[in-house]
Amino acid sequence: MPSVQPEVPTAAFPLDQPDITISVRQTFGIDSDLQVPAFSQASEHVPDFDDAYRFDHDTTLAILAGFAFNRRVMICGYHGTGKSTHIEQVAARLNWPLIRVNLDSHISRIDLVGKDAIVLRDNKQITEFREGLLPWALQHPVGLCFDEYDAGRPDVMFVIQRVLEVEGKLTLLDQNYLPHDAEVDIVLAKVPSYDDDEGRRTISAMVALAYLTRAGFINGDISTVMSPRTVMTWAENARIFGDLAFGFRLTFLNKCDEMERATVAEYYQRCFGTELAETGVNATLM
C-alpha cells in the first residue's frame, strides 16, 4: 500500500459513494449488530486483501465506527505493531479506498493544500491552482490514514487541523467553561437521544467528570482535558457501542498519558460509582 503522496492520485473511482452495507458479525466475526457502509466494486486504492489477517476486537470496532459514522480514529502503539496494517485490512474487507500519508519531514503544506502552477493552455501561459491531497481527498470516496502522527511538522499539522475536527472548528483553550447545568443542556441538545430522566442523569455525570478533568488539569494532575465537544462525542460513542465505559475509553481515556490514566479512572469511579475494567485497546475515537 503506497504511503508517499507528494503527487495527487489521478485514478478514477467506479463508485462515488458506498452502495452496500456489510455485517460486522458476518465479515469480522465480532458479536455486534453494527452495519458498515461498503463498496460493491473496488478501485485501485483499495488495499490488498490478506486472508490470514487476525483482527483485534476493540481496535477493529473503533476503526469500523470510523467508517460507519465518519469518526476520526487514532490508534497508538509502538513502531511495527501493525497499526496501519489493521486499518488497511478493515478497508480491504469494505472495498474502501484508502490513502496513507506519512507525516514525516518530506511532506509539506503545499503537498497537502496545493499550489498555483503555470500551465500552457491554447498556446498561452496561465496560472491555475493545482489542488493538493486534502482537497482532492475531500472530493472523493477515500479514507485518509496519517502515519507517523507524532512526527508531523507544526505547520503541516496546522493544515490538517480542520480535517481532524469533526465540525471544522478550532477550540480556544482560554475560553471559560459553562456552568454545569448549562453544559448539560447543550450536550442534550446535540445528543437528544439522552433527553429523558435516565439520560439526563448520565449526561450530568459525564459533565461532572469533565469538570474533574479540568480541575485536575489546572492543578497539574493531568495534561489532557475534556472539552464540551469531548462530552458530546463520548455520548455519541456510548450510543454507538451500547457501552458507556467503552465509549469513554475510546473517546478520552486512551488519549491520556499512561501515567495519568489511573487518575482519570478515579474520576470515572467518583462520578459513576463503578470502576473501569482493564483493557488492552489503544484506539481513540473522535
Side-chain angles (χ1 to χ4, degrees):
M1 182 70 187
S3 57
V4 178
Q5 314 304 332
E7 296 294 333
V8 174
T10 58
F13 293 85
L15 297 169
D16 60 4
Q17 62 182 353
D19 61 333
I20 60 173
T21 59
I22 64 101
S23 164
V24 170
R25 180 174 287 105
Q26 293 179 355
T27 303
F28 295 90
I30 294 176
D31 186 18
S32 170
D33 294 328
L34 184 63
Q35 299 282 324
V36 183
F39 293 84
S40 61
Q41 301 179 51
S43 76
E44 69 175 81
H45 296 298
V46 174
D48 293 334
F49 192 102
D50 181 356
D51 197 34
Y53 191 82
R54 295 295 178 263
F55 292 91
D56 172 76
H57 176 278
D58 292 346
T59 307
T60 303
L61 274 180
I63 296 170
L64 287 168
F67 283 110
F69 299 99
N70 193 28
R71 316 301 290 181
R72 279 66 170 158
V73 183
M74 179 184 291
I75 303 176
C76 305
Y78 292 112
H79 295 292
T81 53
K83 301 181 296 296
S84 298
T85 302
H86 204 138
I87 299 171
E88 287 179 349
Q89 288 309 305
V90 170
R93 283 152 178 79
L94 303 177
N95 263 348
W96 201 295
L98 182 71
I99 301 296
R100 286 176 54 184
V101 182
N102 274 330
L103 295 178
D104 56 21
S105 60
H106 300 293
I107 291 293
S108 69
R109 292 168 60 97
I110 289 177
D111 295 326
L112 295 180
V113 177
K115 62 181 179 180
D116 289 327
I118 298 176
V119 298
L120 192 65
R121 291 281 175 82
D122 298 326
N123 296 321
K124 295 181 180 180
Q125 284 188 342
I126 62 172
T127 301
E128 69 176 20
F129 180 74
R130 294 288 180 88
E131 64 187 18
L133 180 66
L134 288 184
W136 174 86
L138 291 172
Q139 300 174 71
H140 295 87
V142 299
L144 280 177
C145 177
F146 293 106
D147 282 332
E148 310 300 338
Y149 190 81
D150 57 348
R153 289 167 20 195
D155 60 326
V156 172
M157 301 308 293
F158 183 80
V159 169
I160 67 172
Q161 171 71 27
R162 298 298 293 269
V163 176
L164 298 179
E165 289 286 340
V166 174
E167 293 182 357
K169 296 178 181 177
L170 297 176
T171 301
L172 301 179
L173 296 179
D174 59 349
Q175 287 182 323
N176 296 322
Y177 291 107
L178 295 168
H180 176 278
D181 290 346
E183 186 168 335
V184 168
D185 290 338
I186 290 176
V187 174
L188 287 172
K190 291 290 187 179
V191 195
S193 61
Y194 286 85
D195 198 6
D196 54 34
D197 290 342
E198 181 181 356
R200 179 171 282 273
R201 285 193 295 270
T202 299
I203 297 298
S204 179
M206 288 178 168
V207 172
L209 197 160
Y211 268 81
L212 288 177
T213 69
R214 296 162 193 170
F217 177 79
I218 292 172
N219 294 331
D221 298 328
I222 60 175
S223 57
T224 310
V225 67
M226 290 184 69
S227 68
R229 165 53 60 188
T230 307
V231 178
M232 296 174 198
T233 303
W234 176 15
E236 293 169 347
N237 290 341
R239 281 286 192 248
I240 290 173
F241 296 108
D243 189 322
L244 192 68
F246 185 65
F248 178 68
R249 291 191 193 96
L250 295 188
T251 307
F252 183 72
L253 184 63
N254 288 348
K255 294 180 182 179
C256 299
D257 185 275
E258 290 187 11
M259 300 297 293
E260 300 172 355
R261 291 180 188 176
T263 301
V264 177
E266 181 183 338
Y267 296 160
Y268 186 95
Q269 195 279 334
R270 204 182 303 177
C271 294
F272 290 95
T274 182
E275 294 185 0
L276 289 172
E278 291 298 325
T279 176
V281 66
N282 207 16
T284 302
L285 205 59
M286 294 177 277

